[in-house]
Amino acid sequence: MSLKLGDTAPNFTIATTKGEINLHQWSGDSWVFFFSHPADFTPVCTTEMGRTAQLAPEFEARNTKSLGLSTDTVEEHLKWISDVDDTQNTVLQFPIVADPDHKIAEMYDMIHSGESSTAAVRSVFIIDPDNKIRLTMTYPMSVGRNFDEILRVLDALQTGDKYSVATPADWRPGNDVIIPPSIDNEKAKQMFPQGWNEIRSYLRLTSI
Ligand code: BEZ
């Protein structure tokens, strides 16, 4: 059964490159960017791991911990991390789950038989501090992920939670946000004293 938005991220205790991790304890009050990749020592994955490592200050600024996973062993991950550091000019410090028996990959529905029967596809789970799944994305093995989008989604989710707003297409921090239709104008006056631009009764934009 596939995991849905709003579900509690299934907990697990598993070996990683930073020792054994229990997901819910390790995440604590942080958000989690949990992502799988098909295999160590492969080109697209190497660039993705490097990019995640390079973006460590950006994830930290968003109170977000990164957690990788593939169906390889800790020993393979550790050897590969040296290559990632060398080739991507970074120092990878986040943990990578070792899942050689596919236990976690199957729990999170990361193995898609149309792509491979043993390797994970490029799944993304954004998990909030209450351990709820807030976003899922699935990329095929041949396409590296867009990390600008992953950071943008974290910004949008955190802004939405903080101000009870939604965000329009291609929203970036600093852009106007949407007052959701579930908030009527009376309530909106209290919540958004700065006012709003009413383009339609269902499309109200405000600045925050
Ligand atoms: C890669 O990371 O380059 C890759 C891994 C598995 C299948 C295809 C590409």
Side-chain angles (χ1 to χ4, degrees):
M1 198 179 71
S2 64
L3 294 168
K4 297 195 170 50
L5 301 186
D7 287 353
T8 298
N11 199 17
F12 53 76
T13 300
I14 192 84
T16 79
T17 50
K18 297 286 185 185
E20 193 172 88
I21 276 181
N22 173 276
L23 176 68
H24 290 180
Q25 280 172 13
W26 172 78
S27 59
D29 292 332
S30 299
W31 292 67
V32 177
F33 164 48
F34 182 34
F35 66 113
S36 59
H37 61 276
D40 297 353
F41 300 102
T42 52
V44 177
C45 300
T46 299
T47 63
E48 290 192 317
M49 288 295 165
R51 192 75 188 117
T52 306
Q54 289 163 3
L55 290 171
E58 296 294 335
F59 284 111
E60 197 175 336
R62 292 161 177 82
N63 184 31
T64 301
K65 293 180 174 176
S66 298
L67 181 64
L69 175 148
S70 77
T71 56
D72 299 291
T73 64
V74 168
E75 291 69 33
E76 287 162 332
H77 285 339
L78 290 173
K79 280 190 207 140
W80 179 48
I81 286 170
S82 297
D83 270 6
V84 173
D85 287 350
D86 272 0
T87 61
Q88 308 304 304
N89 196 23
T90 190
V91 180
L92 191 158
Q93 286 180 319
F94 61 87
I96 305 176
V97 168
D99 192 27
D101 58 4
H102 315 161
K103 194 175 123 208
I104 311 304
E106 280 166 23
M107 188 187 284
Y108 275 77
D109 202 17
M110 291 165 165
I111 294 182
H112 294 200
S113 52
E115 292 271 307
S116 165
S117 55
T118 54
V121 292
R122 299 183 198 282
S123 300
V124 173
F125 292 87
I126 303 249
I127 302 168
D128 74 13
D130 294 326
N131 298 316
K132 298 292 181 206
I133 296 173
R134 300 292 299 276
L135 175 127
T136 62
M137 286 197 287
T138 308
Y139 276 55
M141 292 186 173
S142 56
V143 180
R145 281 161 279 214
N146 181 332
F147 284 78
D148 288 342
E149 173 60 3
I150 288 159
L151 295 176
R152 193 193 73 89
V153 154
L154 280 165
D155 286 332
L157 286 168
Q158 293 177 1
T159 297
D161 286 1
K162 186 170 176 187
Y163 296 102
S164 302
V165 294
T167 50
D170 294 335
W171 176 86
R172 292 266 167 195
N175 293 165
D176 283 354
V177 296
I178 290 173
I179 302 174
S182 56
I183 298 174
D184 65 25
N185 280 351
E186 276 313 299
K187 181 90 179 132
K189 273 184 208 156
Q190 295 160 25
M191 293 174 67
F192 307 102
Q194 68 274 36
W196 59 86
N197 175 17
E198 187 159 320
I199 296 161
R200 290 286 185 277
S201 59
Y202 60 84
L203 178 53
R204 296 166 296 170
L205 293 172
T206 191
S207 57
I208 49 169

